[in-house]
């Protein structure tokens, strides 16, 4: 039931055993990272290094610092960053962690990782709609079409965009902007 729940929610779990220097991932954590079944090594301390390598170089320091602070001081964390999986797929993740105390010190760090790509895309689309609505109050039609193309390119990751109008009577397209 837990495995199916994690798959449905796109949430994986993990545990770092501080005393034994071991990392354990649930199946969904491996799935989120696109780790092939033959490369899934439970208990490997290298899992942390491999996971951190999936994040953008400019984000790795913040992630490593949050993890280190959790291990050393017991401070939990909740972070959102883009991630590129082992297979090259790009997504957004949210990872949270908290310490497990034993005999007055952190013995483990437990956490989860969630694929929040759909939420981030919806949020970006809503923000683009708001920006375009505000621009529609001050821009002429041609400039507004250009702003629409710019937003579409940004949302899709494309470097090229265009708008054509359809003239059904003449069965023709007319380029408006690109």
């Amino acid at each position: 039931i837990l495995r199916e729940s994690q798959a449905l929610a796109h949430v994986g779990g993990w545990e770092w055993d501080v005393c034994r220097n071991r990392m354990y991932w649930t199946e969904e954590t491996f799935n989120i990272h696109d780790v092939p079944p033959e490369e899934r090594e439970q208990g490997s301390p290298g899992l942390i290094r491999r996971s951190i390598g999936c994040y953008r170089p400019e984000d790795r320091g913040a992630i490593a610092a949050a993890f280190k602070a959790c291990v050393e001081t017991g401070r939990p964390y909740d972070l959102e960053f883009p991630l590129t999986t082992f297979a090259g797929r790009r997504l957004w993740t949210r990872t949270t962690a908290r310490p497990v105390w034993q005999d007055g010190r952190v013995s483990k760090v437990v956490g989860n990782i969630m694929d929040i790509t759909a939420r981030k895309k919806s949020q970006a689309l809503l923000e683009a709609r708001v920006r375009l609505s505000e621009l529609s109050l001050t821009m002429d039609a041609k400039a507004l079409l250009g702003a629409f193309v710019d937003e579409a390119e940004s949302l899709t990751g494309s470097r090229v965009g265009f708008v054509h109008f359809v003239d059904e009577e003449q069965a023709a397209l007319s380029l408006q902007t690109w």
Side-chain angles (χ1 to χ4, degrees), residues 2-154:
L2 180 59
R3 181 176 36 251
E4 291 302 318
S5 296
Q6 286 186 356
L8 287 168
H10 303 288
V11 178
W14 54 268
E15 177 182 273
W16 172 251
D17 186 327
V18 175
C19 302
R20 294 190 180 107
N21 195 32
R22 300 272 182 219
M23 176 62 85
Y24 300 94
W25 286 3
T26 64
E27 186 175 328
E28 189 60 17
T29 301
F30 283 112
N31 291 341
I32 288 170
H33 284 84
D34 285 336
V35 177
E38 65 275 8
E39 294 179 24
R40 295 180 179 187
E41 184 182 354
Q42 287 292 2
S44 170
L47 286 176
I48 290 178
R49 187 176 57 259
R50 290 183 72 193
S51 178
I52 294 255
C54 292
Y55 292 94
R56 298 179 307 188
E58 61 267 27
D59 298 331
R60 292 176 189 162
I63 296 164
F67 184 79
K68 182 178 179 185
C70 190
V71 170
E72 293 178 357
T73 68
R75 185 173 47 214
Y77 63 85
D78 186 337
L79 304 170
E80 293 183 3
F81 287 107
L83 177 139
T84 302
T85 70
F86 295 178
R89 186 170 54 103
R90 294 179 186 209
L91 48 99
W92 271 89
T93 60
R94 176 181 181 198
T95 184
T96 60
R98 67 171 179 80
V100 175
W101 293 89
Q102 186 176 13
D103 299 325
R105 66 183 190 98
V106 175
S107 63
K108 294 180 182 179
V109 176
V110 294
N112 65 31
I113 185 168
M114 177 187 293
D115 179 348
I116 59 168
T117 306
R119 178 177 63 90
K120 285 292 198 177
K121 285 182 178 180
S122 294
Q123 181 181 353
L125 181 58
L126 179 60
E127 290 168 357
R129 287 178 175 163
V130 168
R131 280 190 300 275
L132 290 169
S133 292
E134 290 170 351
L135 290 174
S136 72
L137 301 173
T138 60
M139 287 185 157
D140 64 23
K142 184 165 180 66
L144 188 58
L145 283 175
F148 270 88
V149 170
D150 292 343
E151 288 288 354
E153 289 175 357
S154 177

